[in-house]
Amino acid sequence: MGDSGSGVNVVAVLMRRRIPQIVCGLFGLVTFLCYFSDHPVARDIYLTVTLDYWQIIFAFSLIVGAISYVRVNLRGVERGVDRPYRIVSLAGVFLMPVLAAVWGIKGGSPFMWVFENVQVPMQATVFSLLAFFVASASYRGFRARSLQAAILLGAALLMLVSRSAIGDLLWSQIPEAAEWVRNTPAMSARRAILIGIGLGSLTTSVRVLVGIERTWLGGDK
């Protein structure tokens, strides 16, 4: 009984952890090597992986995401956590495909009516809330308590004025000055951030390929 149980555990570990790690590492290594090779076979493999398999993976990830979304919300409905909102969310998930399949997605169809009168206003509401919190954070962050904060505040005001209708009326050189700020000092900071993101992505990719990063498998459980 004990040997049978340990055998089941070994198979479970292989199926849930080792095999996905091996497949991920193998495909990642092949894709990495093909990306830097000019050999026709390598280029064909790279294009096949990036063009064909990418779409297949995206489709399956969409299915997995939809199933996970439904399961999480059903569990929340059973527990009574935000039950009305979860019910409305689940109704939308199941209703929209039905409307699209039965009446199509052309203008004037029930699908487009729901999209224009429900989803679009909700998106506008979310972006309005986002703009409010961004403005609130900007107010706290742009207070000129130091020289660096004063420079940041001046640059932000210059960009805001240049993007408004009164920019040209106040001074004709404001748009050119704002463009210089955007292309020179702001671009330097942006490139530094992009380099940091690239190095972070490279580090995470290497950790996933060699099996050190296992959070995508559920962590160390």
Side-chain angles (χ1 to χ4, degrees):
M1 185 67 180
D3 293 340
S4 176
S6 61
V8 173
N9 291 333
V10 171
V11 173
V13 170
L14 285 175
M15 295 300 294
R16 297 182 58 181
R17 304 185 62 86
R18 298 306 178 197
I19 293 179
Q21 285 179 337
I22 293 173
V23 172
C24 179
L26 179 62
F27 274 87
L29 182 62
V30 171
T31 306
F32 179 79
L33 294 177
C34 292
Y35 179 79
F36 293 100
S37 176
D38 288 332
H39 195 276
V41 177
R43 301 303 300 173
D44 291 340
I45 294 175
Y46 178 76
L47 292 176
T48 301
V49 171
T50 56
L51 296 180
D52 297 338
Y53 284 92
W54 184 268
Q55 298 179 11
I56 297 173
I57 294 173
F58 178 78
F60 275 95
S61 64
L62 182 62
I63 295 174
V64 172
I67 294 174
S68 176
Y69 183 80
V70 172
R71 290 183 59 187
V72 169
N73 282 280
L74 286 177
R75 198 174 303 161
V77 171
E78 292 178 355
R79 295 176 180 176
V81 180
D82 299 330
R83 180 174 292 170
Y85 305 105
R86 294 181 185 276
I87 292 175
V88 172
S89 179
L90 290 172
V93 170
F94 290 105
L95 178 64
M96 294 300 283
V98 173
L99 295 178
V102 176
W103 288 283
I105 58 174
K106 296 181 179 179
S109 62
F111 178 88
M112 288 305 298
W113 186 91
V114 174
F115 177 78
E116 294 175 351
N117 294 279
V118 177
Q119 184 167 342
V120 172
M122 286 194 300
Q123 288 179 342
T125 303
V126 171
F127 280 110
S128 299
L129 291 174
L130 180 62
F132 170 77
F133 286 114
V134 169
S136 176
S138 301
Y139 172 75
R140 293 192 297 270
F142 287 170
R143 282 182 291 185
R145 294 178 177 177
S146 62
L147 177 61
Q148 292 83 358
I151 295 175
L152 182 62
L153 176 61
L157 292 177
L158 179 63
M159 294 301 297
L160 290 174
V161 172
S162 68
R163 299 302 178 188
S164 63
I166 63 174
D168 285 331
L169 298 178
L170 293 177
W171 187 33
S172 60
Q173 297 299 317
I174 285 182
E176 286 76 6
E179 197 66 18
W180 179 84
V181 170
R182 195 171 70 88
N183 291 330
T184 308
M187 181 61 74
S188 303
R190 188 187 310 170
R191 286 173 176 168
I193 294 173
L194 292 176
I195 291 174
I197 294 173
L199 292 176
S201 301
L202 179 62
T203 303
T204 304
S205 300
V206 173
R207 286 171 58 87
V208 171
L209 291 179
V210 299
I212 299 176
E213 180 66 42
R214 294 188 293 269
T215 55
W216 60 285
L217 292 172
D220 294 329
K221 294 186 294 184

